Amino acid sequence: MSSACLARPYKNAGRSRCEAKGWEPHAGDEAPKDLDPALCAEIERAEAALERVEGAEEEDALVYSKDALRRASTFLNAQSAHSRKMYGVFAPVPDIGGGPNGSVDLHWRRKDCELLVNIPASDKELAAFYGDDYGTCKIKGSFDPTDFDFGIIMWLMKN
Amino acid sequence: MADEELSFAVETIPDADSVLMRAHRDHFSGGELRPRVFRAQGGGMSVDWNKYSTPEATRQRAKKNPENNAVIRMGVGGIRSIDNLDVKHSPEVDNQAHSDVNLPERNEDLTEVRILLRRIAEVVLPLGI
């Protein structure tokens, strides 16, 4: 079950928002309109992949931190909701997977641009990002993922 | 005498050559190779110089379940054209092809380099073959 999708009460208790078909929000619950089902599904896929990798014991398999995945999910949900509010559409959903040293990678590969955000395993380290338009327009830097700096997603939405 | 048996000469790898690297199936998503495949293990990112290896030999060096790995190839000149990256031959007792790509330690730089490496990587031995 997705930790990212459990922030608010949900009438289909025991099932995730993405697994439950035809789910409806509680009256007065404003969360569902800010939750992108496609993002929920990708987060759940990443959680399932992590559980599978943990049992694989293969040297080249990537094991990443559950805590980093939780922080990545929180970051993505905030970005997605902000995009919906600002642009009327959810932000593009990244591929979510393990990065180096237990970190989590968020990777957007689009026709006109590519962006990689790395959420470290430690919550004391800054997240890093790099993106470009396959040409001269580039963004690169670090940020605190808990501060919800929306500049990165705005860059993605404008490309 | 034992040392002589263990050592291969360290050579300079020309820009025109290539290096091979395993890519576990977890490093693919939606059929695409993802930048997460590029990471340091110890001193650098381990690769095999194609002068002394083949894609199949590189795949078979996986200690467990080699069939769960594809093999990718990158041109050495292409790697060296990225920031301060270099490729150095570092032969091991049981692998004359072993080489290392130095990756940046700073996470911002590593994040950029991983994107750029993925763009020059070519899958030469797909999963499941």
Side-chain angles (χ1 to χ4, degrees):
Chain A
M1 190 181 303
S2 169
S3 57
C5 298
L6 293 176
R8 294 175 187 241
Y10 174 45
K11 78 172 190 177
N12 288 297
R15 302 175 71 189
S16 75
R17 289 185 192 277
C18 298
E19 289 171 335
K21 293 177 181 174
W23 63 270
E24 294 175 6
H26 289 286
D29 183 350
E30 296 183 356
K33 70 180 181 183
D34 292 333
L35 282 173
D36 179 0
L39 177 57
C40 280
E42 177 61 15
I43 291 169
E44 289 179 0
R45 187 201 60 76
E47 289 176 336
L50 175 58
E51 289 178 10
R52 182 173 50 77
V53 167
E54 283 177 326
E57 298 178 353
E58 291 176 33
E59 58 178 340
D60 292 325
L62 272 179
V63 176
Y64 43 101
S65 152
K66 284 181 181 173
D67 186 54
L69 182 56
R70 181 187 55 75
R71 282 183 280 113
S73 301
T74 303
F75 167 76
L76 286 170
N77 276 311
Q79 298 285 337
S80 183
H82 182 75
S83 172
R84 177 74 178 265
K85 184 177 178 183
M86 293 294 294
Y87 302 103
V89 293
F90 291 117
V93 177
D95 171 80
I96 304 173
N101 304 316
S103 64
V104 168
D105 273 354
L106 312 174
H107 183 218
W108 291 263
R109 188 180 179 199
R110 310 186 74 193
K111 181 182 174 185
D112 299 323
C113 65
E114 186 169 12
L115 173 67
L116 178 62
V117 174
N118 179 258
I119 308 291
S122 167
D123 62 3
K124 294 179 174 56
E125 293 178 27
L126 294 175
F129 65 92
Y130 174 81
D132 66 34
D133 64 352
Y134 306 108
T136 56
C137 177
K138 301 176 183 179
I139 58 168
K140 177 179 176 180
S142 298
F143 65 99
D144 180 349
T146 63
D147 276 351
F148 301 121
D149 180 338
F150 298 110
I152 298 170
I153 294 298
M154 288 175 69
W155 179 85
L156 190 67
M157 296 294 288
K158 288 176 180 175
N159 273 284
Chain B
M1 296 300 271
D3 285 348
E4 289 179 16
E5 291 174 11
L6 292 177
S7 58
F8 293 109
V10 175
E11 303 171 54
T12 300
I13 305 179
D15 280 354
D17 283 9
S18 298
V19 291
L20 303 163
M21 191 175 94
R22 286 188 303 281
H24 191 271
R25 64 171 67 251
D26 290 335
H27 300 138
F28 289 84
S29 176
E32 284 187 29
L33 181 67
R34 298 292 175 173
R36 55 183 176 257
V37 71
F38 303 108
R39 78 277 186 208
Q41 294 172 310
M45 183 173 74
S46 291
V47 294
D48 287 339
W49 183 6
N50 72 340
K51 179 178 180 180
Y52 295 115
S53 189
T54 64
E56 186 59 37
T58 292
R59 173 148 71 182
Q60 293 303 323
R61 286 193 186 96
K63 291 174 182 163
K64 193 172 180 181
N65 299 336
E67 69 277 10
N68 281 342
N69 294 269
V71 176
I72 61 175
R73 177 172 60 203
M74 294 173 285
V76 171
I79 295 172
R80 287 177 175 150
S81 70
I82 298 172
D83 291 343
N84 295 314
L85 298 195
D86 198 3
V87 188
K88 291 187 175 174
H89 188 212
S90 52
E92 295 179 336
V93 171
D94 55 354
N95 182 10
Q96 188 175 5
H98 186 270
S99 306
D100 283 300
V101 177
N102 66 308
L103 295 176
E105 292 184 5
R106 193 164 161 254
N107 199 19
E108 284 181 22
D109 297 330
L110 180 60
T111 301
E112 175 180 7
V113 159
R114 290 193 293 130
I115 285 266
L116 300 179
L117 283 172
R118 193 199 56 75
R119 290 180 186 166
I120 64 168
E122 172 194 10
V123 177
V124 290
L125 201 56
L127 290 166
I129 294 179

